[in-house]
Amino acid sequence: MAGLVGGLLVVLGVRSCLSEPLPPALPAVTSGDLVGFRLEVAFPALSFKRPVYLCSEPGQPDQLWVIEQGGKVFRFANEAAVPAAELALDLSAQVSRRGNEEGLLGLAFPPDHATSRVLYLYYSPTAGEGWVGGRSRLSRFRRAAEGAGIDAGSEEILLEVEQPYSNHNGGMLTFGPDGYLYLGLGDGGAAGDLDKNAQNKGTLLGSILRLDVSRAEGGKPYAIPADNPFQGDPQARPEIFAFGLRNPWRFSFDSEGGALFVGDVGQGAWEEVHEVSRGDNCGWRRYEGFSLYDEDMPAPAATEPVSAYARSEGVSITGGYVYRGQLHAELRGCYLYGDYLTGNVWALIRDPSAPAQHEGSHRTQAGFRVLKLIEGSPALASFGEDAAGEVYTCHFDGKIRRFVQAPGAAGSPAPTPLPGGK
């Protein structure tokens, strides 16, 4: 969630490339099937304080959950006229908000939640004895019974990671189609990856982790999946699934095909989307987007992003979802993502006929193209998805929004988005 305030750009060490002329912004959709989309408030009676994530509960498709950065967890009926949200857990007293990016950042329900009644939270705990800097914590909690709130006293700490600075905490938690828990961690913070963490597989920072939380092994309260890519490498942490990331602020698996898309916050020139596979090196800090950032930093076998956008479009990417809902056939197969500060939202479309685009404000690998779906919305902190595959947005004006399209807005047909994986 780096760069949530535009003024931080100078503090975080924006490079001289920002003094170069910025490419013109990509225009909003003016023709084709994606014309006329906007965001409207989904639950008018509800308002949250810095909502940073929304998700559904397995086995309860009519329930939604929202977490606030300050440490509160809420649930409510997935109905437009819902009058109020129920407070399911309040961790405010033990969640640090020392920096703009610390807090309660992640929530995930395992596929067997209906029977196990466990869930996982990722947050920045308040300073403890012996801790000089900050830290991040992954914990398991329990619910006493079906439909009950979360038992605050049931916390079981699974993992703690020291954070040298207060920013770049990552925070995305989700279970993959393989049943394992995936967790995103930033490079440790400050600017420019001062400690060179992202290319160091000996630290968990700057990586996406993959954990088997169904069992304990080797003295740890979790196990390492046998096919994790760096199992047996004495120079690497076996928890790592992919590395070379600056601050992966939200990622998700496509529910059809399983492709993993990651929104990685840039340093000072480019925000990027990666389609990540097992063992990938995403290139930071040698690369920022498609551009060279530090020629002296080795990044063996680095993979390029599938898309990147320039500062003329925004300053802090918010990763989203491949839309698989039923309300908007035009969006099916599009990866929807946005920018925190500008509130712009784009649709990344897999199109085998599309050439690589290496000029302008939005650049892509061959096989992808981008359309700006929405131009401007309140500070866009996160995307979320319900059990039906409908996508929502969380904003720091306190509201949860959904996608709507003006009747009759669609014009000439656009090429149909194609499913598929890397």
Side-chain angles (χ1 to χ4, degrees):
M1 199 166 39
L4 291 191
V5 178
L8 286 178
L9 291 176
V10 175
V11 177
L12 295 183
V14 175
R15 294 171 67 86
S16 60
C17 58
L18 282 182
S19 64
E20 300 173 2
L22 293 174
L26 192 73
V29 177
T30 57
S31 64
D33 284 350
L34 303 188
V35 170
F37 274 95
R38 60 184 175 85
L39 293 172
E40 74 169 18
V41 174
F43 311 102
L46 304 185
S47 188
F48 302 95
K49 186 175 181 180
R50 294 178 74 93
V52 291
Y53 190 54
L54 173 148
C55 66
S56 63
E57 172 188 340
Q60 296 290 337
D62 298 327
Q63 291 280 319
L64 292 177
W65 293 70
V66 165
I67 58 173
E68 293 181 341
Q69 191 175 358
K72 293 181 179 180
V73 183
F74 293 89
R75 63 177 176 173
F76 57 93
N78 188 5
E79 301 171 358
V82 60
E86 174 190 353
L87 180 62
L89 179 66
D90 186 354
L91 291 179
S92 302
Q94 64 195 73
V95 169
S96 172
R97 290 288 289 112
R98 175 181 61 130
N100 186 52
E101 298 173 25
E102 290 186 334
L104 174 58
L105 303 175
L107 163 67
F109 292 95
D112 68 349
H113 174 75
T115 53
S116 69
R117 299 194 183 113
V118 302
L119 65 151
Y120 298 83
L121 294 173
Y122 174 85
Y123 66 96
S124 310
T126 52
E129 184 177 355
W131 287 91
V132 177
R135 52 185 166 150
S136 293
R137 174 183 290 171
L138 170 66
S139 288
R140 177 162 48 217
F141 288 81
R142 297 184 179 275
R143 300 169 71 185
E146 182 179 351
I150 303 167
D151 179 2
S154 68
E155 181 176 14
E156 179 187 0
I157 299 172
L158 302 185
L159 177 68
E160 284 194 333
V161 180
E162 186 170 2
Q163 296 284 356
Y165 305 97
S166 64
N167 59 336
H168 299 191
N169 298 287
M172 185 63 194
L173 274 183
T174 192
F175 281 86
D178 52 16
Y180 296 127
L181 181 64
Y182 290 72
L183 165 62
L185 292 171
D187 64 8
D193 192 8
L194 300 178
D195 298 327
K196 303 180 181 179
N197 290 319
Q199 289 299 317
N200 177 11
K201 297 193 294 294
T203 175
L204 298 180
L205 298 173
S207 301
I208 293 175
L209 313 185
R210 181 177 182 245
L211 310 174
D212 181 353
V213 291
S214 69
R215 60 192 180 91
E217 183 180 69
K220 297 180 179 179
Y222 58 83
I224 306 299
D227 60 344
N228 267 17
F230 305 110
Q231 274 272 41
D233 182 346
Q235 304 301 316
R237 291 291 298 266
E239 294 94 338
I240 295 174
F241 178 77
F243 66 104
L245 293 155
R246 184 173 181 271
N247 191 30
W249 181 242
R250 300 308 181 216
F251 56 81
S252 63
F253 291 91
D254 183 356
S255 61
E256 296 183 14
L260 173 58
F261 285 96
V262 179
D264 194 27
V265 179
Q267 172 64 43
W270 295 97
E271 306 293 308
E272 54 200 85
V273 176
H274 285 264
E275 186 179 3
V276 172
S277 294
R278 174 183 175 275
D280 275 358
N281 177 358
C282 296
W284 173 250
R285 76 175 196 184
R286 180 174 179 83
Y287 300 101
E288 181 186 9
F290 293 94
S291 301
L292 187 66
Y293 177 85
D294 181 358
E295 63 182 7
D296 296 324
M297 171 59 68
T303 62
E304 288 187 328
V306 294
S307 183
Y309 65 86
R311 280 294 184 265
S312 55
E313 295 282 4
V315 302
S316 182
I317 192 171
T318 300
Y321 290 84
V322 176
Y323 181 80
R324 296 298 181 186
Q326 300 299 316
L327 297 181
H328 305 296
E330 302 87 352
L331 293 179
R332 283 189 60 81
C334 295
Y335 175 68
L336 306 176
Y337 63 104
D339 185 82
Y340 165 80
L341 192 63
T342 64
N344 293 339
V345 176
W346 297 273
L348 179 69
I349 301 168
R350 197 186 299 275
D351 182 350
S353 67
Q357 173 63 40
H358 291 309
E359 302 294 334
S361 61
H362 233 109
R363 302 179 180 181
T364 58
Q365 282 188 24
F368 291 88
R369 58 188 177 87
V370 172
L371 292 174
K372 182 187 286 182
L373 194 64
I374 293 165
E375 193 159 31
S377 67
L380 202 173
S382 186
F383 288 77
E385 185 182 45
D386 69 15
E390 300 303 328
V391 175
Y392 300 79
T393 53
C394 302
H395 301 261
F396 277 178
D397 67 352
K399 294 299 183 181
I400 307 300
R401 289 174 169 82
R402 62 179 180 177
F403 289 87
V404 296
Q405 188 179 29
S412 58
T416 302
L418 298 174
K422 186 175 179 180

